[in-house]
């Protein structure tokens, strides 16, 4: 795996480890980046990826970027390198859960599930600085014990840990939606991944809704 030093990445529009290294210099021992995928879809789960970076790490996989800036082929190619780079997890919330509790609550619950998986794997989540992409902390309200969380707009593009979380979430959710497409081929989920594309709405008009659809989102 070829790795990119943070100083090299800083010369481009790609993510860096500047935020992570500054936190390590201030005494933080662990950073966990969080990012969501699937918030705006009308079918399928929402997913939140988590990626942990330990103090002492100074490089990250070459080509790592926010998942939205990578083609599907490039995301699939870099995903194994992200997995080698450090521990991570993806938490999901189903369409039915989103219908029942709302998207914001289920973003938080998906993140909590990802962090619980990391905790179970031995990652000391309670000692981490958690970097959450965006301006809204939707994680704290669902936690049973407080964590050290900071929000950062554009973190998925700027911070390597959050970009890695984004790739983890996107690749995992895409795989789930491709499998769902095999079961329900009328909605073109293999290409639109559950978002509101014309072919998806055409499938709904002809075949109705499935258990994968967020029924309260479709009028």
């Amino acid at each position: 795996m070829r790795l990119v030093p943070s100083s090299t990445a800083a010369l481009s529009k790609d993510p860096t480890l500047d935020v992570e290294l500054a936190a390590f210099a201030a005494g933080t021992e662990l950073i966990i980046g969080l990012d969501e995928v699937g918030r705006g879809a009308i079918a399928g789960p929402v997913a939140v990826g988590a990626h942990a970076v330990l103090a002492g790490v100074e490089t990250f996989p070459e080509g790592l970027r926010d998942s939205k800036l990578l083609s599907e082929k490039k995301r699939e190619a870099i995903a194994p390198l992200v997995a080698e780079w450090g521990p991570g997890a993806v938490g999901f919330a189903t369409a039915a859960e989103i219908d029942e509790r709302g998207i914001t609550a289920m973003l938080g619950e998906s993140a909590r599930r990802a962090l619980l998986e990391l905790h179970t794997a031995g990652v000391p989540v309670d000692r981490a600085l958690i970097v959450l992409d965006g301006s809204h902390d939707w994680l704290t309200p669902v936690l049973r014990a407080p964590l050290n969380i900071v929000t950062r707009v554009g973190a998925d593009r700027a911070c390597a840990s959050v970009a890695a979380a984004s790739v983890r979430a996107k690749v995992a959710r895409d795989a789930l939606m491709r499998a769902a497409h095999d079961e329900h081929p009328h909605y073109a989920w293999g290409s639109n991944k559950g978002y509101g594309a014309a072919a998806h709405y055409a499938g709904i008009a002809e075949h109705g809704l499935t258990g994968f659809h967020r029924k309260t989102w479709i009028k």
Side-chain angles (χ1 to χ4, degrees), residues 98-142:
I98 294 168
D99 280 337
E100 180 181 355
R101 296 177 54 189
I103 186 62
T104 301
M106 298 321 296
L107 284 168
E109 183 60 28
S110 298
R112 192 185 72 84
R113 291 167 182 174
L115 293 173
L116 181 60
E117 185 176 332
L118 281 179
H119 172 74
T120 301
V123 176
V125 173
D126 59 331
R127 300 204 298 270
L129 174 64
I130 296 173
V131 182
L132 177 60
D133 180 56
S135 60
H136 179 212
D137 177 6
W138 32 255
L139 174 56
T140 294
V142 306

Side-chain angles (χ1 to χ4, degrees), residues 80-99:
L81 305 183
V82 169
E84 290 177 19
W85 184 43
V90 180
F92 294 95
T94 67
E97 289 177 313
I98 294 168
D99 280 337

Side-chain angles (χ1 to χ4, degrees), residues 56-73:
V57 170
E58 296 182 350
T59 59
F60 58 91
E62 183 179 28
L64 176 63
R65 304 182 84 187
D66 171 23
S67 65
K68 296 184 292 295
L69 301 179
L70 297 171
S71 67
E72 185 167 355
K73 182 178 180 180

